[in-house]
Amino acid sequence: EIKNMKKSVLILGATSDIGMSCAAKFAQEGFNLQLTSRDLLNEDFLDFICELNNTTEVSKHELDILDYYSFDKLIEELKVLPDIVICCIGALGIQRGDQNNEKKISKMIKVNFEGPMILLEKFAYLFEERGSGTIVGISSVAGERGRASNYIYGSAKAGFTTFLEGMNHRFGRSKINVIAVLPGFVDTKMTNHMDIPKLLTANRTKLANVIYKAHKKRKSKVYYLPIWRFIIFLIRILPTIIFSKLK
């Protein structure tokens, strides 16, 4: 018998900066947390869980997004089916280092698209059986048009965005909502090495707030900064002959 009727959120990739920010936000809003990581002994992760345990119920679960056969085991481990699943899993890679290496290309596609897609489909099926639930996927504006600097990562995220949009269309008349989040640059460890403009960079704590509000308002697609809508619009309408000459 489940005595605690608080809502729960499952965060896939909870050791990522975005994942931890989302965990902190949803804990603040009264959710129980189910957190997954490849490395459950990560010291920062364990310290973070200790802090969260003071405010809410937390369970941690091992997940390797490349091990598709472990997904059913993860689902069986969960004491309750979450109300919300947030997928923060992703890897940026290095375009020049990856583009001539078939193993690295394959891994990029699996980490950013194939693995999350397969796992989220499993939760979609369970949500459909129950009749409710929210799925949130952190995708990327890099998938909106292929660019020389990151088209392997971008193509995987393009697939992931399309997957989320299609799933949202599938559940359009139900109580199941699917949200694609395209934040642009985010101030995380993944972008520390990049020289990125501050005006186009999302604060991860504020991004978690945006994700929480998007779930409350049942949004379907979210750009963190409004300016990205304008930038993506321009990128999309540029003729290829002009676009190909731009950096």
Side-chain angles (χ1 to χ4, degrees):
E1 183 182 351
I2 301 169
K3 295 181 181 179
N4 191 339
M5 297 306 292
K6 286 171 68 175
K7 287 189 174 183
S8 61
V9 57
L10 170 65
I11 300 179
L12 308 173
T15 48
S16 68
D17 290 329
I18 295 175
M20 286 197 282
S21 295
C22 286
K25 174 61 181 175
F26 278 82
Q28 181 186 344
E29 296 295 337
F31 281 73
N32 287 332
L33 303 176
Q34 300 165 325
L35 308 179
T36 77
S37 171
R38 280 180 304 169
D39 180 13
L40 295 179
L41 299 179
N42 179 294
E43 288 187 15
D44 291 338
F45 183 53
L46 291 175
D47 290 342
F48 179 62
I49 287 177
C50 284
E51 291 177 22
L52 291 174
N53 270 324
N54 295 324
T55 58
T56 191
E57 184 180 317
V58 183
S59 64
K60 57 184 189 294
H61 309 272
E62 188 173 4
L63 171 65
D64 180 354
I65 200 64
L66 298 177
D67 183 6
Y68 303 162
Y69 297 105
S70 70
F71 294 171
D72 288 336
K73 180 184 175 185
L74 167 68
I75 292 169
E76 288 170 8
E77 271 184 17
L78 301 176
K79 290 183 180 178
V80 295
L81 181 64
D83 297 278
I84 305 169
V85 176
I86 303 175
C87 182
C88 304
I89 294 170
L92 189 57
I94 301 172
Q95 177 68 36
R96 287 185 176 274
D98 296 344
Q99 61 195 24
N100 293 315
N101 186 314
E102 61 272 20
K103 288 184 179 179
K104 289 183 177 180
I105 291 174
S106 177
K107 185 175 180 180
M108 286 292 291
I109 299 299
K110 288 177 178 177
V111 168
N112 289 298
F113 176 38
E114 191 174 278
M117 176 180 68
I118 292 171
L119 182 51
L120 292 180
E121 275 289 0
K122 289 181 179 290
F123 281 103
Y125 173 77
L126 294 171
F127 286 176
E128 192 170 26
E129 279 194 325
R130 184 178 62 190
S132 67
T134 299
I135 291 172
V136 181
I138 310 297
S139 193
S140 173
V141 294
E144 300 293 84
R145 187 166 185 176
R147 295 183 299 121
S149 61
N150 65 355
Y151 63 80
I152 295 173
Y153 171 78
S155 62
K157 286 299 189 179
F160 191 47
T161 299
T162 301
F163 162 73
L164 293 167
E165 290 173 338
M167 185 181 280
N168 186 68
H169 189 221
R170 166 185 165 192
F171 293 124
R173 296 184 179 181
S174 73
K175 292 184 179 179
I176 299 166
N177 192 42
V178 184
I179 308 170
V181 180
L182 287 73
F185 303 120
V186 185
D187 62 341
T188 65
K189 292 187 287 287
M190 196 163 77
T191 60
N192 276 347
H193 66 287
M194 299 169 64
D195 182 19
I196 53 180
K198 289 185 178 180
L199 284 175
L200 298 180
T201 304
N203 174 280
R204 56 183 180 257
T205 301
K206 291 181 179 178
L207 175 60
N209 292 339
V210 167
I211 291 169
Y212 179 78
K213 289 176 182 176
H215 119 267
K216 292 284 285 183
K217 294 180 179 179
R218 293 182 60 83
K219 298 269 188 177
S220 58
K221 194 171 187 178
V222 177
Y223 294 92
Y224 169 73
L225 296 171
I227 193 173
W228 276 111
R229 288 183 179 275
F230 180 65
I231 292 171
I232 295 305
F233 172 74
L234 291 180
I235 288 173
R236 281 177 168 168
I237 65 171
L238 277 176
T240 301
I241 193 170
I242 296 174
F243 184 72
S244 62
K245 293 178 181 178
L246 300 175
K247 288 188 178 180

